[in-house]
Amino acid sequence: MGYWSDWSIPILVTTAAGFTYITVLLILALCHIAVGQQMNLHWLHKIGLMTTLITTVVTMSSIAQLWDDEWEMVFISLQATAPFLHIGALAAVTALSWLIAGQFARTEKATSQMLMFTAYLAVVVALYLVPLTISSPCIMEKKALGPKPAIIGHRGAPMLAPENTLMSFQKAVEQKMYGVQADVVLSYDGVPFLMHDKTLRRTTNVEELFPERAYEHSSMFNWTDLEKLNAGEWFLKNDPFWTAGSLSRSDYLEAANQSVCKLADMLEVIKDNTSLILNFQDLPPAHPYYSTYINITLETILASGIRQQAVMWLPDTERQLVRQIAPGFQQTSGLKLDPQRMREKGIVKLNLRYTKVTNEDVRDYAMANLSVNLYTVNEPWLYSILWCAGVQSVTSDSSHVLRKVPFPIWLMPPDEYHLIWITSDLISFIVIVGVFIFQNYHMIRWRLGSIRTYNPEQIMLSAAVRRSSRDVKIMKEKLIFSEINNGVETTDELSLCSENGYANEMVTPTDHRDTKLRMN
């Protein structure tokens, strides 16, 4: 969009507030169920829930339109978290059995009991079988783990210095990165320089120096104008990665005085120790070097003295010409191709977003002796997943963080995972069965006692540990009249109630004649 705006902060804050509110209401609802009280939601909470629901739907729809690619991130994140989410969900559902079993014992209608039990059982069985669908590259034998993926600095080291500046690439060299990635543009007078965006608005002060030209393509500026721009103040002002505050005093001053970087200057810094991925911006047709910018860039690279084998050439434009002039370049594609097509085009490396390849793709390319570099990988958990998958290299903004990751965050042999899975399911099953037996002890005792004449009121009264006094009194009355109609003495039967503390009033048997007189 031409300017820096961190939308993640308001999105995360709003999401956290909304779901915390819903979680608190849910806990309160479970507490009401646990003590047998009715749930009466205040109208303010109804408004709050509807507001949260509408906000969530609108936000998710907006995110789906702006960042549709990010949905694939859900499946990748599950590769890192699913085994542990399964254990957590299993623990939560097992704990919920206490409330379900209690509600089951207090429900009078058999149909309601069956619906409740069937729904809960379906959820439990589904959770028991979920591991059959869980697939993670980190569920593997430790001896099968490949070498640590090489790390390529994205536009240098953009968390430690302003991106695509000389300072950024110096920091990448200091971090001993395997390589760096840079975006090359040709100025109007034919000087290759580094800039990612089409305009200069986001990473320079062009709006201050040349306000009337702020929306022009960066390639339409002469180098004499470009070198006047400051390319570092924006980094300190916007703090895109929240790292500006950690800079030393000298680094802070250096970052504040960065200018637009020439390709030749960057090559001079990295040529002895670091590989390079070059990406190019398409020039406007009105540019004077529109048809020859590849030749000019090639001349600059070869004149720098960098090893040809260290250059990963990404653009598809004039690839055959580049292969003739610089046969040592590693021809790299930004499009996903099958191995045979890559060989035909002389491509030895792929440079793709990490959502565009599967674990099977990585294995197939490796078997064909083809290398895969994935971008932009900033988090250790994602780096760990790609490491387990066998990826050869990644491009990262946080290269200084990933280089300190000594081993995947977790690695679990399949046998060990199966043991954890089965053990967790067995423990959960035993606990759930025990809770249901404990909560429904009186009902089970009646059924196993083979008593032919019993009524639901007796069972419900004896099991109603958390019933209100009004409900208990009603059930007592039902029980008395039920026993009278069946001609059964109630004294022995009601002794069950005294065991649970509900026989606060003396109940005495009454014969049929007295009952008829009273009813009349």
Side-chain angles (χ1 to χ4, degrees):
M1 293 182 291
Y3 63 94
W4 184 268
S5 181
D6 194 350
W7 286 95
S8 63
I9 301 303
I11 289 175
L12 289 175
V13 169
T14 304
T15 303
F19 281 94
T20 300
Y21 170 68
I22 291 175
T23 302
V24 171
L25 287 181
L26 178 61
I27 293 173
L28 290 175
L30 292 176
C31 292
H32 275 70
I33 294 174
V35 299
Q37 295 182 3
Q38 291 185 347
M39 291 181 289
N40 296 315
L41 200 61
H42 195 274
W43 63 271
L44 285 176
H45 292 309
K46 293 179 181 179
I47 294 175
L49 287 174
M50 288 304 299
T51 301
T52 303
L53 175 63
I54 294 172
T55 303
T56 301
V57 171
V58 171
T59 304
M60 294 298 285
S61 301
S62 301
I63 291 175
Q65 293 179 6
L66 291 173
W67 298 293
D68 188 53
D69 294 358
E70 299 303 323
W71 288 113
E72 299 175 27
M73 186 67 196
V74 174
F75 301 102
I76 297 176
S77 65
L78 286 176
Q79 294 179 5
T81 59
F84 310 102
L85 289 176
H86 168 247
I87 301 298
L90 201 60
V93 170
T94 302
L96 196 62
S97 65
W98 183 265
L99 296 179
I100 299 296
Q103 195 72 9
F104 181 88
R106 294 192 294 269
T107 302
E108 298 182 16
K109 294 183 179 180
T111 304
S112 300
Q113 286 182 325
M114 288 305 300
L115 287 174
M116 183 188 308
F117 181 78
T118 302
Y120 181 70
L121 182 64
V123 173
V124 171
V125 171
L127 277 177
Y128 287 167
L129 300 179
V130 155
L132 294 174
T133 65
I134 293 176
S135 176
S136 173
C138 287
I139 299 178
M140 62 183 299
E141 297 293 342
K142 293 182 179 179
K143 61 183 179 182
L145 182 66
K148 181 177 180 178
I151 302 172
I152 297 173
H154 187 224
R155 307 172 198 170
M159 287 191 179
L160 305 178
E163 67 179 56
N164 276 328
T165 61
L166 196 59
M167 179 184 177
S168 184
F169 293 103
Q170 288 170 340
K171 289 293 184 182
V173 172
E174 291 174 7
Q175 294 291 325
K176 297 182 179 179
M177 294 295 100
Y178 167 76
V180 294
Q181 180 269 339
D183 306 282
V184 181
V185 189
L186 205 67
S187 69
Y188 197 78
D189 51 353
V191 177
F193 67 98
L194 307 182
M195 184 61 57
H196 174 266
D197 298 0
K198 292 183 178 180
T199 71
L200 302 167
R201 294 171 56 226
R202 182 175 65 89
T203 58
T204 72
N205 61 340
V206 66
E207 290 181 314
E208 296 177 9
L209 296 185
F210 307 104
E212 72 285 352
R213 303 181 62 190
Y215 289 87
E216 284 188 23
H217 196 282
S218 58
S219 63
M220 303 306 285
F221 286 75
N222 287 319
W223 177 250
T224 53
D225 292 333
L226 290 169
E227 63 183 353
K228 296 177 183 177
L229 298 173
N230 184 295
E233 288 180 346
W234 74 274
F235 175 79
L236 302 176
K237 178 182 178 182
N238 296 312
D239 198 6
F241 299 103
W242 305 340
T243 54
S246 63
L247 298 181
S248 65
R249 180 62 179 172
S250 59
D251 284 348
Y252 191 93
L253 293 175
E254 185 179 358
N257 290 284
Q258 290 299 298
S259 57
V260 177
C261 183
K262 281 185 179 181
L263 173 62
D265 293 339
M266 183 270 287
L267 291 170
E268 187 64 28
V269 170
I270 68 146
K271 67 179 182 181
D272 296 327
N273 306 296
T274 311
S275 298
L276 173 66
I277 295 182
L278 282 180
N279 198 9
F280 288 79
Q281 281 193 35
D282 293 331
L283 300 181
H287 196 282
Y289 296 99
Y290 177 75
S291 58
T292 58
Y293 74 96
I294 292 291
N295 305 67
I296 295 174
T297 305
L298 275 174
E299 291 174 4
T300 304
I301 296 172
L302 295 176
S304 70
I306 189 173
R307 295 179 301 109
Q308 289 191 19
Q309 292 77 11
V311 178
M312 290 169 267
W313 186 267
L314 191 57
D316 268 335
T317 307
E318 302 288 350
R319 193 180 289 276
Q320 189 62 33
L321 172 65
V322 174
R323 189 180 290 113
Q324 294 174 359
I325 297 176
F329 283 5
Q330 296 184 56
Q331 295 297 321
T332 306
S333 175
L335 300 175
K336 187 177 179 181
L337 304 172
D338 60 83
Q340 183 177 355
R341 182 77 181 279
M342 290 176 66
R343 291 195 194 93
E344 292 174 356
K345 299 183 68 173
I347 295 171
V348 298
K349 196 178 190 73
L350 283 176
N351 183 63
L352 300 172
R353 179 175 166 80
Y354 57 83
T355 57
K356 300 302 181 184
V357 293
T358 63
N359 301 330
E360 292 74 19
D361 292 333
V362 173
R363 285 196 294 268
D364 291 343
Y365 288 127
M367 290 178 63
N369 201 27
L370 299 170
S371 180
V372 177
N373 178 72
L374 300 182
Y375 64 87
T376 305
V377 179
N378 291 338
E379 299 297 331
W381 71 263
L382 179 57
Y383 182 67
S384 298
I385 288 293
L386 299 178
W387 185 349
C388 295
V391 171
Q392 290 80 16
S393 63
V394 299
T395 300
S396 177
D397 294 318
S398 59
S399 53
H400 63 294
V401 175
L402 299 188
R403 65 186 290 268
K404 297 178 182 178
V405 177
F407 201 73
I409 290 178
W410 64 271
L411 196 65
M412 194 181 303
D415 292 341
E416 181 179 327
Y417 175 64
H418 293 154
L419 179 62
I420 295 174
W421 163 28
I422 295 172
T423 303
S424 301
D425 286 356
L426 285 176
I427 293 174
S428 170
F429 178 76
I430 293 171
V431 171
I432 290 174
V433 171
V435 167
F436 266 85
I437 291 175
F438 180 78
Q439 290 274 45
N440 296 271
Y441 166 72
H442 298 287
M443 182 181 292
I444 295 172
R445 189 174 69 171
W446 278 96
R447 291 189 181 278
L448 294 181
S450 299
I451 299 177
R452 292 180 298 173
T453 58
Y454 72 93
N455 57 59
E457 286 77 14
Q458 288 176 313
I459 297 174
M460 294 306 302
L461 181 59
S462 61
V465 179
R466 299 181 182 85
R467 284 279 188 175
S468 65
S469 59
R470 180 176 178 274
D471 293 339
V472 173
K473 190 172 182 179
I474 292 173
M475 283 192 286
K476 284 181 180 179
E477 294 174 357
K478 287 183 179 180
L479 178 59
I480 291 170
F481 285 104
S482 175
E483 294 296 344
I484 289 172
N485 292 333
N486 289 327
V488 180
E489 293 294 327
T490 62
T491 305
D492 294 337
E493 301 298 335
L494 288 177
S495 64
L496 288 172
C497 303
S498 62
E499 295 175 8
N500 292 295
Y502 292 110
N504 296 325
E505 300 175 2
M506 180 63 69
V507 181
T508 58
T510 309
D511 61 22
H512 294 283
R513 183 179 60 189
D514 292 342
T515 303
K516 292 178 180 178
L517 290 173
R518 291 178 183 175
M519 292 176 67
N520 291 333

